[in-house]
Amino acid sequence: QAQLLESGGGSVQTGGSLRLSCPAAWFTVRKYALAWYRQSPAKEREGVAAIDTGSGNTYYADSVKGRFIISLDNAKNTLYLEMNMLQPEDTAVYYCAATPPGINSRYIFDADLYNRWGQGTQVTVSS
C-alpha cells in the first residue's frame, strides 16, 4: 500500500518559517503529480501547492504565492513544502497527496483526483 507520511509541522510566530516533509514509501514520487493541501476547522480543504512531475510545472494558491515553495528530492523520494512569512491564517493541518501525472492544470487542485494521502501535520501560527 502506497504511503505518505508528513512531518515538520509545529508552532511558530507570525513571520516565521517551517519546512514540511513528505517521504513516500512503496512508490516513486517523481512519477506522480504531488500536492500539498491544508484544512482548518473554519475552512474547507484548500490546495496550496502542487507539482506535476510529468511537465515539471509548479502551481500555487494565490494565498501562498511568493511565500511557499514546493520541491521534490528524487534521491530521497521526498516532497517538501517550504513555508515562509507565515501568518495566523496559515494555521491548519497540512496534507500531502499524490496521483499519476498528467492532470490538466485547470484541475491541479481538485482533491478528488488525488488517490494517495498522508495523515497530516499540524501547523500553528500565533500572532
Side-chain angles (χ1 to χ4, degrees), residues 13-24:
Q13 292 187 329
T14 298
S17 298
L18 286 172
R19 189 177 78 157
L20 306 183
S21 300
C22 180

Side-chain angles (χ1 to χ4, degrees), residues 7-13 17-20 83 86 90-94 120-126:
S7 65
S11 297
V12 296
Q13 292 187 329
S17 298
L18 286 172
R19 189 177 78 157
L20 306 183
M83 305 185 296
L86 284 162
D90 295 317
T91 295
V93 178
Y94 284 72
T121 185
Q122 177 70 47
V123 171
T124 302
V125 185
S126 58

Side-chain angles (χ1 to χ4, degrees), residues 97-112:
T99 195
I103 296 178
N104 187 306
S105 61
R106 290 181 297 175
Y107 309 116
I108 196 69
F109 289 130
D110 185 341
D112 290 337

Side-chain angles (χ1 to χ4, degrees), residues 80-97:
Y80 297 98
L81 183 67
E82 181 178 342
M83 305 185 296
N84 302 305
M85 299 173 58
L86 284 162
Q87 303 295 317
E89 52 265 35
D90 295 317
T91 295
V93 178
Y94 284 72
Y95 301 88
C96 59

Side-chain angles (χ1 to χ4, degrees), residues 35-38 44-50 60-64 109:
W36 287 96
Y37 283 79
R38 66 186 180 187
E44 294 184 353
R45 182 170 50 186
E46 174 189 21
V48 296
Y60 296 93
D62 288 342
S63 58
V64 306
F109 289 130

